Amino acid sequence: MTAVARTRARRRNARIAGLVCGALAAGGLAAAGTGTLRPEAAHASSHREAPLISGQPQYDNTDVYAFVSPDRTDTTTIVANWLPFEEPAGGPNFYTFAEDARYDVHIDSDGDAQGDLLYRWTFDTRTKNGDTFLYNTGPVTSLDDPDLNVTQTYDIDLLRLKDQKTVSTTKVADDLPVAPSHVGKASMPNYGKLRDQAVRKLPGGTTAFAGQADDPFFLDLRVFDLLYGGDLSEVGRDTLAGYNVNSVALQVPSATIRQSEKQPTVGVWSTTQRRNADGKWTQVSRLGAPLVNEVVVPMKDKDKFNASSPWNDKDFLPYVTKPELPRLIESIYKIKAPKEPRDDLVSVFLTGVKDLNQPPNVRPAEALRLNTSVKPTASPKRLGVLDGDNAGYPNGRRLGDDVLDISLQVVQGELVGQKNDLGDAVNANDREFGKSFPYVALPTSGSRGPLAEKGGGSGSGSRDALGGAMPGSTSQGSGDSEDTVLVASAAAGGAGLLLVALGLLWWRTRAGGAGPRGRGSGPVGG
């Protein structure tokens, strides 16, 4: 694969085209019918990539992104995410970074698979009032609001390394505020303002952010159900839609992280270290390029990969040159797997692409490789380099790069003449990304439904699930269509009907027979 940007007409295999058309149709139907569904429990995930880390979400890397900043092209933005599958309404504790963890982003500036720079985030948690169960004790309008009961701050240290040993340490940021979890409309009426307050400019042209964000990874995780159920009939649903993650983001002048203008490519990966009972630090998670540990490394070595360093990635080379995934696709869909060994995959996942983002004298290692001299395009293409857009994956990774489709097509032979259009029919994130740092989308709110969209949850417009005004409300309101939706939702199952009946009985008892529209003295929901 060369670096020359080119637009090519895709030669469509009739069998693949048929499958993909069916997938797109199914995806359209799924999108039309599930737009208001809440997140569901996930049984498998690209975010829960190894047995041990799947039970430790605070320490679990989900994704790493590295790209030349589209609005500040002399800088590079790095985003690293942790804590997968954050259900937005998952209180009362909600989601914090771990205090006994080191969240690290490594930079290799010369291609030798050893980090030359290491940015390290550490976090501190404070609770103002331990006598309440509430994350916030009232509406939060600023990061220093006394009603924000649980707060976090963080430091960033820059470690300079040589031969994997620390040469110097510099404090980059001290005691910066973390944007809180988005509890809901009543608790955080203007979450965008809180996000803005958490973006901090630092000396030397660096900008930092830490806090909750919408999960930017978009894909259909039914890939793990024997590759979309065996017939592509259930693709097209973004399984991560509606879930949040905890993000750290850093924007730095590209000149400070690359070796030189002549060698502008950097390797990027993130790790998590956790302090054990003896006070020693152990690496428990590692992530660079997407989907490698998930669908390339077999079960027996996944925990080993998480504890390893790129310097030792020769241990995992056979899994790249003789991958399992194309053999599975061939067995299920009868699409012939490319011949092995797969040197084409080595360039994508381990060395970078020649004449694009492969450093001279590169040592094969799993990392995102970004050529910081490639300027962003005004019209990014979701398939990145495959579609002639050299500013996209696998040259780094932008938030909008469709890495699942890219990986499927490459694994099935796109770079060795087996042209295909494989994909999961999820082509974009469910929430729009920002146009300026930190670029990640605002997190999904814990408030749901039509009331949340109207800013409900407090005030005269609030109505209970029975269709009546909330206790203490002075407005009767019409709201017929809204009531119909809410009552229909409550009556969708037998359990819902039972709750409605019990609720009526309880309310009438509390309000002395006044009924659900009475002004009884019962408590207003909190």
Side-chain angles (χ1 to χ4, degrees), residues 165-405:
K165 294 182 180 179
T166 302
V167 175
S168 66
T169 301
T170 304
K171 181 72 68 176
V172 175
D174 184 30
D175 211 30
L176 298 185
V178 176
S181 296
H182 193 352
V183 176
K185 297 284 187 178
S187 293
M188 297 168 182
N190 187 349
Y191 189 86
K193 179 181 177 182
L194 301 180
R195 155 71 69 81
D196 291 343
Q197 292 176 1
V199 175
R200 296 300 176 98
K201 294 187 180 299
L202 305 175
T206 296
T207 309
F209 167 80
Q212 193 179 50
D214 170 72
D215 192 332
F217 198 8
F218 52 92
L219 80 167
D220 191 332
L221 286 173
R222 280 295 308 281
V223 66
F224 295 110
D225 181 13
L226 291 181
L227 299 180
Y228 306 111
D231 62 3
L232 290 182
S233 64
E234 296 190 18
V235 298
R237 179 182 176 188
D238 183 358
T239 319
L240 297 178
Y243 288 108
N244 299 322
V245 291
N246 277 14
S247 292
V248 302
L250 197 66
Q251 189 175 74
V252 297
S254 298
T256 64
I257 61 172
R258 66 191 183 195
Q259 187 180 64
S260 66
E261 289 187 8
K262 292 183 178 180
Q263 204 312 88
T265 296
V266 296
V268 181
W269 68 94
S270 64
T271 60
T272 316
Q273 293 185 21
R274 185 177 187 181
R275 188 170 52 215
N276 62 23
D278 295 329
K280 298 179 180 179
W281 294 94
T282 303
Q283 181 178 306
V284 296
S285 185
R286 168 191 164 197
L287 199 144
L291 301 170
V292 171
N293 200 5
E294 294 81 3
V295 301
V296 175
V297 179
M299 193 72 70
K300 66 180 182 179
D301 279 342
K302 287 183 178 296
D303 293 321
K304 177 183 177 181
F305 181 90
N306 266 345
S308 67
S309 298
W311 179 262
N312 298 314
D313 277 354
K314 65 180 184 302
D315 295 344
F316 307 103
L317 181 61
Y319 304 140
V320 176
T321 57
K322 297 181 179 181
E324 178 185 14
L325 181 56
R327 296 196 297 269
L328 289 175
I329 294 175
E330 181 176 10
S331 66
I332 295 171
Y333 295 117
K334 311 308 177 188
I335 302 172
K336 188 173 179 58
K339 293 181 179 180
E340 298 174 347
R342 298 294 305 279
D343 293 334
D344 58 313
L345 298 186
V346 172
S347 69
V348 172
F349 294 121
L350 298 180
T351 66
V353 179
K354 188 176 181 179
D355 299 326
L356 176 59
N357 63 339
Q358 184 180 114
N361 304 314
V362 63
R363 181 186 179 105
E366 195 278 286
L368 274 181
R369 298 193 185 276
L370 172 67
N371 184 336
T372 59
S373 70
V374 177
K375 298 302 182 183
T377 175
S379 302
K381 297 179 180 179
R382 67 179 183 88
L383 295 181
V385 176
L386 282 185
D387 201 13
D389 179 0
N390 284 347
Y393 184 77
N395 181 26
R397 181 184 178 186
R398 301 169 299 195
L399 295 173
D401 286 337
D402 193 344
V403 296
L404 192 283
D405 283 17

Side-chain angles (χ1 to χ4, degrees), residues 62 71 102 111 120 123 125 137 194 215 267 287 306 313 333-334 364 390 401 405 429 454 472 509 517 523:
T62 64
D71 56 335
R102 291 171 171 171
R120 171 166 291 161
F123 292 84
T125 307
T137 55
L194 301 180
D215 192 332
L287 199 144
N306 266 345
D313 277 354
Y333 295 117
K334 311 308 177 188
N390 284 347
D401 286 337
D405 283 17
N429 193 46
K454 295 181 180 180
T509 301
R517 292 188 183 271

Side-chain angles (χ1 to χ4, degrees), residues 48-63:
R48 303 172 68 244
E49 74 280 353
L52 288 179
I53 200 61
S54 65
Q56 305 174 42
Q58 279 186 302
Y59 313 89
D60 188 357
N61 302 79
T62 64
D63 288 285

